[in-house]
Amino acid sequence: MAIDRERQFKPINIALLTVSDTRTAENDTSGDILEGRIRKAGHNLVVRAIEKDDAGRLASRFNNWIDDREIDAIVVTGGTGLTGRDVTPEAIDRVKDKDIPGFGELFRWISYKTIGTSTVQSRACAAVARGTYIFALPGSNGAVQDGWDGILAEQLDSRNRPCNFVELMPRLKEV
């Protein structure tokens, strides 16, 4: 990480969503990992929820959080695979303004080092929707660790050089 110690850290407000038909608050280990990393990094976890694999329900949840002025970014775990119930990218498609294709590309490159060619089954993705970031990671513990440690920890740190997602936030709604 290229941290510029002369720059000030700016915590952002994050909503955390686990997408699963089977996980509960008691067994959501990937959500627990992300919550711990969000807090350890110094960001604010505004809300955490679990939602079933249903594109309409997910899009509705995303829209509510996007419209909440206190939420700067949404981090999602789960629903990014290839099965019929995996619909997180489709739900993001319903609300997004712009894709961030490099996020998924970089995630799969990082993941390849851990799980080899199985990474091609991941549809990890990111987008901007009405000025709010949405980052979707697979639901496994290893995947959320790879995604946070390898991408989000740096890109959500306002001190990261040469650039980061935080410094773009004031300009995301430009026309």
Side-chain angles (χ1 to χ4, degrees):
M1 190 180 320
I3 294 294
D4 182 344
R5 299 283 174 207
E6 294 184 20
R7 296 180 87 180
Q8 180 180 1
F9 177 78
K10 297 176 186 170
I12 66 166
N13 296 326
I14 299 174
L16 175 57
L17 180 64
T18 297
V19 178
S20 175
D21 288 335
T22 59
R23 294 202 186 171
T24 65
E26 292 74 34
N27 66 9
D28 180 18
T29 55
S30 60
D32 292 341
I33 289 167
L34 283 169
E35 178 175 348
R37 279 167 163 74
I38 289 166
R39 292 186 189 283
K40 185 177 178 186
H43 297 297
N44 304 309
L45 182 63
V46 177
V47 62
R48 178 175 171 184
I50 298 174
E51 192 71 66
K52 300 259 186 233
D53 292 278
D54 178 284
R57 289 174 65 171
L58 292 173
S60 178
R61 169 85 63 175
F62 293 149
N63 277 318
N64 288 337
W65 284 353
I66 292 163
D67 291 338
D68 185 334
R69 297 178 140 225
E70 290 198 28
I71 295 174
D72 301 311
I74 301 167
V75 178
V76 185
T77 174
T80 62
L82 299 175
T83 72
R85 297 290 299 157
D86 291 320
V87 295
T88 298
E90 288 76 14
I92 292 171
D93 285 345
R94 294 182 184 189
V95 301
K96 73 180 181 188
D97 297 319
K98 292 183 179 185
D99 286 310
I100 307 172
F103 179 85
E105 295 163 359
L106 180 56
F107 174 82
R108 283 179 283 282
W109 180 76
I110 291 167
S111 179
Y112 178 76
K113 297 174 186 177
T114 307
I115 64 170
T117 60
S118 295
T119 194
V120 301
Q121 296 180 28
S122 169
R123 297 187 304 142
C125 60
V128 177
R130 300 190 309 276
T132 301
Y133 290 113
I134 306 174
F135 305 103
L137 297 167
S140 74
N141 291 351
V144 298
Q145 290 168 351
D146 286 347
W148 184 271
D149 298 347
I151 306 170
L152 293 175
E154 293 182 21
Q155 280 298 298
L156 296 180
D157 190 323
S158 57
R159 303 167 298 170
N160 191 60
R161 294 292 205 165
C163 56
N164 59 74
F165 286 137
V166 178
E167 65 191 3
L168 297 176
M169 288 170 51
R171 299 177 45 215
L172 291 177
K173 293 184 180 182
E174 287 179 342
V175 238

